[in-house]
Amino acid sequence: MAEEIKITVTRYNPDTDKELRQQTYSIPYHNDWGILDALNYIKAELDGSLTYRWSCRMAVCGSCGMMVNGTPRLACSTYLNEFYPGEITLEPLANFPIIRDLVVELTDFMEKLKEVKPWIIRKNKSDEDDTSSEYIQTTKQMDNYYQQTLCINCTLCYAACPVYGLHPDFVGPAVIALGYRYNNDSRDQGKDERRKFLASEDGVWKCTVVGDCTEVCPKHVDPSASIQRTKVDNATNWFFSFLKGNK
Amino acid sequence: MDILTHDILIVGGGGAGLRAGIEISRVNPSLKTAVISKVYPMRSHTVAAEGGSAAVLKADDSHDLHAYDTIKGSDFLADQDAVEVFVRDATNEVRQIERWGCPWNREEDGTIAARWFGGMSRKRTLHAADKTGFHLLHALFQTSLKYDTLKRYDEWHVSALLVDNGKVGGVLALNTRTGVFSIIAAKAVILCTGGVGRMYAFTSNAGILTADGAAMTYRAGAPIKDMEFIQFHPSGLMRTGILITEASRGEGGYLFNKDGKRFMENYAPSKMELAPRDIVSRSIIEEILAGRGFQGTYGSYIHLDLRHLGEAKIMDKLPMVRELCLDFAGVDPVHEPIPIRPTMHYTMGGIHCDKDGKTPITGLYAAGEAGCVSIHGANRLGSNSLTELLVFGARAGRAAVEYVSTAKPASNDRLQSLAKERMDFIQKRYMKAGNGKEKIGAILTDLRKTMDEKVGIYRTEEGLKDGIQLIQRLKERFNKISLTQQSRVFNTELIQAMELDNMLEIAHVIALCAQVRKESRGGHARKDYPTRNDEQFLHHSLTYMSKDGPRRETLPVTITKWQPEERKY
Ligand SMILES: Cc1cc2nc3c(=O)[nH]c(=O)nc-3n(C[C@H](O)[C@H](O)[C@H](O)COP(=O)(O)OP(=O)(O)OC[C@H]3O[C@@H](n4cnc5c(N)ncnc54)[C@H](O)[C@@H]3O)c2cc1C
Ligand code: SF4
Ligand code: FES
């Protein structure tokens, strides 16, 4: 008989289930299959009701985050061979309410994303849509924020963040990294407009520097560093405005 | 049924849809506009685009040159008036997206950097490393958040257009989260639903590209255009079909067969690896057919070699290529060649529309890969598509704004009765649980096999006839499907059923159009008719739905300045 691998998945259907269940599937083992390949196999061949999100299957759209043996991972780029012959447990991303099976509620994240004003803000508004020329930006200036542009909004960092787990109002790693990204873009002049949100009670200061967000980030965005640097930035800004006497 | 009312509804939250949404919100913020998408917008397929976006910015370049390259690349099937509009608008659009935050790579002097791309006679492909689509989509999505007037319906699935007397009044859509269908009424609807790639097995396309827009329009009575032209991209990663961007050749990568020969010198000696995609893809298949490919678990392949570029250049210009190779093939391109073969990639055809996105249905517009203007003709040049999203997304947005200033909405009664008809159909066709024997997954697998084998890179009369028959049989099998569940919340099985139905409909059109076109042009290559035949086939194909299956008509190509000539590289 061909080799098999056991995958246990959290099941929950609000129409029929009062609480979460676990269901185990045995599937043929392929050493070059990702977990997403396995889920697609289960859905097509064994159980059409199994529900999860995916889209690009190439680790760039950010849809397929889930807990894989307790760690937040992307299902499409996590391989069965990492676990075989051991078993695999799949759960919905931690710290988010569950909608169904492996699908979690992201409304809170989507709202916060908007609050940080992630777009180029100019003092002179007519600059923003002026197509007669491009802004000049050197590669060196780009290096100041480029790493933070790589976030795919997969929310793995929220699932890893103990602070977010305790205080869902915490703005959280990816959104702070996004604020950092725009604040440090030489084309942007909107730092002041973002400060209130980032420096609020639920902003950067809630972070206790656990660093798990950076640990799990599949794109090496390093949200933890963005948070610490934003803290420094806000502290110095507060200090200087204090000196100038306008606070 | 609930009715949610808007002035303009955009279906699709990829590059084209978001560009349209921003344009409308900017031009007229008092309009009630919404973007509806089956995934969160930044999960749309545009996020996966890698290599770049073409536009004239440099002093040694001109709009005429970009236009000529595009028209020649199209094998003279593009409408030349549309191409001229496209290259002209492109320049402003790429600057605009720069101002909206796209982190384009830069030249030494801080202006936007360009790279080579297949079929382009100048360095004009602007790029943000090899994550151009990703950066472009995130810049658009994040900028769209600035407009409070732009409402979003995320994770909603549009199932049909509601068209009354040749005029669109809105759509019927499923809220995936609740499982409830609603009418979304709108005076204008812009379809930006992307391509059809998921009907092929070996494809670079994301899971959401299931021909929904084309199928909806077709069912609503409007024609779809040039569907026989499917682009196969030369470099799909073995097993998955994941794309290794053309920029890897643009930056200097080589193609080798198993004898260690750069075989492109036999097919396009002047351009080598930088010939257009149709030519490179066919050359690879020729090598494989001649037994000069490598053998692997998943079939024959050839090598894309980047090693001579060196680690620094690969990390700087092609970091995603390296990531993808490591993550999805266990190969490090700094030290090893990449195993590739051609993968289904792009849909040149689509919803018939003009350069303002206007379709024959009043109030209905299309833009992006879902539409067919046509600027790509029989073959799209790489990096023209991202630019197309910007140009035609914005143009369709502006055209819709103008249209709704005088248009009248459909009556709610009429919308209710149209929606009810469609709901009855959905109940009958998809929701019957347990009483059918056919599985969605099995039909999909067979469809994908049929398309790869019979309607693939090379086509023949016999193969296409077979293909059409097989597709018809799959359509019959579809009548006997059943879902394993009737759940409301996130019933992805119901969505899969609707998507498969759409793909079957459009697959039929593709195969039929390919059979009728007895010539080879661009992405459409007939083994039995290997040359282009302008006398009989220098025209677009328009296909309408009819009781007896697809009904095909023709439409002349618009030729302005550039007379068709033999396409040589
Ligand atoms: C891997 C890859 C790399 C590429 N690289 C390049 C490149 O370098 N340069 C280039 O120019 N082009 C490239 N292309 C092509 C280009 O990316 C696509 O043509 C383009 O992104 C399509 O964008 P779009 O806005 O038309 O649609 P998409 O981005 O595909 O978006 C479609 C939208 O429609 C929505 N939708 C679909 N159906 C429904 C429905 N029924 N109900 C509700 N919503 C629906 C989806 O949710 C999604 O939001 C690449 C393509 C691929 C596959
Ligand atoms: S910061 Fe990293 S982990 Fe967090 S959402 Fe972005 S990509 Fe995902
Ligand atoms: S499916 Fe897109 S990140 Fe995994």
Side-chain angles (χ1 to χ4, degrees):
Chain A
M1 223 189 86
E3 296 158 276
E4 298 211 322
I5 184 164
K6 280 201 169 78
I7 299 186
T8 301
V9 185
T10 300
R11 303 299 310 270
Y12 172 68
N13 178 349
D15 280 350
T16 50
D17 295 330
K18 284 215 176 61
E19 45 200 70
L20 306 184
R21 301 179 281 125
Q22 307 296 324
Q23 188 166 355
T24 302
Y25 302 93
S26 270
I27 64 154
Y29 171 70
H30 297 267
N31 71 351
D32 54 4
W33 273 20
I35 284 174
L36 181 61
D37 296 312
L39 288 171
N40 286 344
Y41 174 87
I42 295 171
K43 184 152 183 94
E45 303 294 331
L46 308 176
D47 184 349
S49 72
L50 184 65
T51 304
Y52 48 96
R53 289 188 176 107
W54 71 285
S55 175
C56 70
R57 59 85 170 90
M58 54 191 271
V60 67
C61 76
S63 310
C64 67
M66 55 188 68
M67 306 301 284
V68 181
N69 288 2
T71 308
R73 306 279 293 267
L74 296 178
C76 63
S77 60
T78 303
Y79 278 75
L80 302 183
N81 61 19
E82 189 184 320
F83 307 96
Y84 185 79
E87 300 181 6
I88 296 175
T89 306
L90 303 178
E91 295 159 289
L93 278 181
N95 298 340
F96 292 95
I98 300 172
I99 296 176
R100 179 170 174 184
D101 295 353
L102 297 169
V103 176
V104 296
E105 170 68 81
L106 293 173
T107 308
D108 174 60
F109 173 73
M110 294 300 287
E111 285 301 314
K112 286 174 175 159
L113 199 67
K114 183 175 172 165
E115 296 281 325
V116 79
K117 302 196 178 189
W119 53 81
I120 300 278
I121 298 173
R122 299 287 287 191
K123 299 238 152 72
N124 178 359
K125 291 288 157 206
S126 68
D127 286 354
E128 290 172 12
D129 297 346
D130 177 3
T131 58
S132 62
S133 70
E134 66 229 57
Y135 296 123
I136 298 298
Q137 182 171 70
T138 62
T139 304
K140 212 164 146 226
Q141 286 171 323
M142 223 171 112
D143 288 345
N144 287 335
Y145 70 91
Y146 188 71
Q147 188 176 21
Q148 286 77 21
T149 66
L150 297 175
C151 170
I152 59 173
N153 300 156
C154 64
T155 66
L156 298 192
C157 50
Y158 286 74
C161 175
V163 179
Y164 185 66
L166 284 174
H167 310 282
D169 288 337
F170 175 40
V171 172
V175 170
I176 296 175
L178 189 61
Y180 181 93
R181 174 244 175 280
Y182 279 96
N183 280 345
N184 287 281
D185 188 326
S186 59
R187 298 169 289 186
D188 182 82
Q189 302 169 334
K191 217 176 204 175
D192 293 339
E193 287 191 42
R194 285 182 206 104
R195 179 166 296 119
K196 211 169 129 221
F197 180 66
L198 288 171
S200 69
E201 190 194 337
D202 297 316
V204 287
W205 302 106
K206 262 225 158 69
C207 167
T208 57
V209 206
V210 176
D212 286 351
C213 51
T214 289
E215 195 79 2
V216 300
C217 175
K219 297 289 150 184
H220 312 294
V221 172
D222 198 354
S224 178
S226 309
I227 298 174
Q228 306 330 318
R229 284 188 228 143
T230 306
K231 279 184 188 168
V232 172
D233 198 49
N234 281 334
T236 32
N237 185 275
W238 175 84
F239 181 70
F240 281 119
S241 58
F242 187 78
L243 280 187
K244 277 191 261 163
N246 59 3
K247 192 75 188 223
Chain B
M1 201 181 301
D2 265 2
I3 303 191
L4 306 155
T5 305
H6 291 278
D7 291 304
I8 303 176
L9 178 71
I10 299 158
V11 185
L18 291 174
R19 182 65 190 86
I22 293 175
E23 191 64 10
I24 296 162
S25 313
R26 194 167 71 133
V27 175
N28 187 347
S30 69
L31 290 176
K32 282 182 68 189
T33 306
V35 174
I36 184 169
S37 165
K38 58 183 177 179
V39 292
Y40 283 103
M42 68 285 194
R43 322 275 195 231
S44 299
H45 183 63
T46 300
V47 80
E50 301 170 23
S53 181
V56 173
L57 278 187
K58 306 284 168 189
D60 70 343
D61 202 356
S62 76
H63 288 141
D64 265 9
L65 278 174
H66 189 187
Y68 173 71
D69 289 346
T70 301
I71 289 160
K72 181 176 172 195
S74 81
D75 227 343
F76 293 89
L77 199 76
D79 287 323
Q80 300 186 359
D81 55 338
V83 173
E84 288 188 70
V85 162
F86 164 69
V87 297
R88 192 197 64 210
D89 284 13
T91 301
N92 285 345
E93 284 296 331
V94 296
R95 285 200 188 117
Q96 179 65 84
I97 193 84
E98 192 280 330
R99 292 210 163 220
W100 290 342
C102 183
W104 295 118
N105 277 44
R106 302 288 176 156
E107 311 280 6
E108 296 258 308
D109 65 0
T111 57
I112 303 174
R115 65 160 49 120
W116 288 109
F117 240 62
M120 299 283 185
S121 61
R122 291 286 183 278
K123 260 193 187 183
R124 70 164 72 94
T125 295
L126 319 174
H127 54 282
D130 55 357
K131 305 184 184 211
T132 311
F134 167 80
H135 286 303
L136 203 129
L137 185 66
H138 279 251
L140 284 170
F141 174 61
Q142 288 161 14
T143 300
S144 80
L145 298 175
K146 170 161 121 175
Y147 299 97
D148 286 325
T149 51
L150 186 60
K151 178 168 168 58
R152 284 208 328 272
Y153 297 93
D154 294 338
E155 301 196 309
W156 280 58
H157 200 278
V158 175
S159 121
L161 294 169
L162 302 176
V163 175
D164 185 23
N165 249 324
K167 188 173 144 191
V168 74
V171 304
L172 178 70
L174 166 68
N175 179 343
T176 310
R177 175 66 193 274
T178 60
V180 175
F181 281 88
S182 297
I183 295 167
I184 307 187
K187 289 190 273 187
V189 173
I190 307 178
L191 292 174
C192 304
T193 49
V196 310
R198 278 280 148 180
M199 64 175 73
Y200 284 82
F202 199 68
T203 175
S204 66
N205 283 197
I208 49 176
L209 297 179
T210 53
D212 297 1
M216 280 188 256
T217 311
Y218 183 61
R219 285 200 195 95
I224 46 180
K225 186 160 77 194
D226 290 347
M227 286 311 291
E228 60 271 43
F229 297 105
I230 297 288
Q231 178 164 78
F232 293 86
H233 191 294
S235 49
L237 207 52
M238 283 308 283
R239 188 178 82 85
T240 54
I242 287 174
L243 190 82
I244 299 302
T245 172
E246 182 171 322
S248 52
R249 281 171 286 127
E251 295 295 341
Y254 298 148
L255 296 173
F256 287 114
N257 63 20
K258 83 170 191 324
D259 306 328
K261 189 169 158 63
R262 271 178 80 187
F263 55 84
M264 283 311 297
E265 65 190 37
N266 296 343
Y267 304 95
S270 77
K271 285 268 169 190
M272 296 295 286
E273 281 86 355
L274 285 177
R277 292 175 174 176
D278 50 346
I279 295 176
V280 182
S281 291
R282 281 197 296 275
S283 308
I284 294 173
I285 295 297
E286 292 292 343
E287 290 297 303
I288 287 176
L289 290 175
R292 293 192 288 272
F294 300 88
Q295 284 304 317
T297 325
Y298 298 93
S300 299
Y301 59 88
I302 57 128
H303 275 161
L304 169 61
D305 199 342
L306 307 181
R307 288 176 294 182
H308 57 286
L309 301 180
E311 179 162 1
K313 183 158 185 185
I314 293 176
M315 288 314 291
D316 184 36
K317 294 286 197 174
L318 303 166
M320 178 144 152
V321 165
R322 190 172 187 199
E323 259 175 72
L324 290 172
C325 290
L326 286 168
D327 282 356
F328 296 97
V331 163
D332 183 349
V334 172
H335 305 294
E336 296 154 280
I338 309 168
I340 54 138
R341 77 175 170 89
T343 182
M344 184 284 168
H345 182 59
Y346 183 84
T347 321
M348 262 78 72
I351 301 159
H352 173 45
C353 63
D354 71 7
K355 50 190 184 289
D356 294 312
K358 225 156 121 186
T359 74
I361 295 177
T362 308
L364 184 70
Y365 298 79
E369 192 170 337
C372 179
V373 174
S374 123
I375 57 162
H376 306 307
N379 173 58
R380 169 180 73 97
L381 290 187
S383 75
N384 264 352
S385 166
L386 287 178
T387 311
E388 167 189 30
L389 311 178
L390 301 172
V391 168
F392 293 104
R395 291 182 71 89
R398 287 193 291 268
V401 169
E402 195 181 310
Y403 168 74
V404 298
S405 68
T406 55
K408 296 220 163 38
S411 84
N412 284 352
D413 286 352
R414 193 61 197 126
L415 288 175
Q416 289 285 7
S417 75
L418 286 166
K420 182 167 181 312
E421 262 172 48
R422 177 69 193 174
M423 277 311 294
D424 291 345
F425 175 86
I426 289 171
Q427 282 292 346
K428 268 215 316 266
R429 186 158 178 79
Y430 309 119
M431 308 273 271
K432 41 184 189 192
N435 54 5
K437 303 220 166 0
E438 292 286 352
K439 270 185 166 173
I440 299 169
I443 299 177
L444 178 59
T445 306
D446 289 350
L447 172 65
R448 299 176 79 193
K449 190 162 172 260
T450 303
M451 295 306 283
D452 273 16
E453 283 171 10
K454 310 286 179 185
V455 202
I457 298 190
Y458 277 120
R459 299 154 178 197
T460 63
E461 189 67 27
E462 208 186 328
L464 290 166
K465 270 211 182 107
D466 263 11
I468 292 169
Q469 260 188 11
L470 288 168
I471 292 166
Q472 271 166 331
R473 225 171 292 150
L474 292 173
K475 280 178 150 177
E476 281 156 27
R477 278 171 63 190
F478 190 91
N479 295 331
K480 304 193 196 96
I481 58 156
S482 72
L483 304 189
T484 59
Q485 47 159 345
Q486 299 278 296
S487 297
R488 293 172 307 118
V489 177
F490 255 85
N491 189 336
T492 45
E493 206 186 4
L494 167 62
I495 290 170
Q496 278 183 334
M498 297 197 286
E499 291 175 339
L500 175 58
D501 202 10
N502 291 341
M503 287 191 280
L504 285 168
E505 209 60 84
I506 299 305
H508 196 171
V509 174
I510 296 175
L512 184 91
C513 290
Q515 193 209 3
V516 176
R517 191 175 283 276
K518 297 185 189 338
E519 65 159 353
S520 290
R521 185 188 296 268
H524 172 68
R526 291 277 308 244
K527 270 263 157 189
D528 39 4
Y529 300 94
T531 50
R532 193 173 90 193
N533 179 346
D534 281 350
E535 235 156 78
Q536 279 179 291
F537 293 104
L538 182 58
H539 57 229
H540 299 293
S541 52
L542 290 185
T543 313
Y544 294 83
M545 191 176 208
S546 84
K547 280 210 182 62
D548 318 315
R551 178 172 63 77
R552 190 177 171 281
E553 288 180 6
T554 63
L555 182 79
V557 175
T558 307
I559 295 187
T560 56
K561 288 201 260 200
W562 295 278
Q563 287 309 309
E565 61 191 19
E566 198 195 338
R567 192 163 153 249
K568 272 204 208 129
Y569 289 95

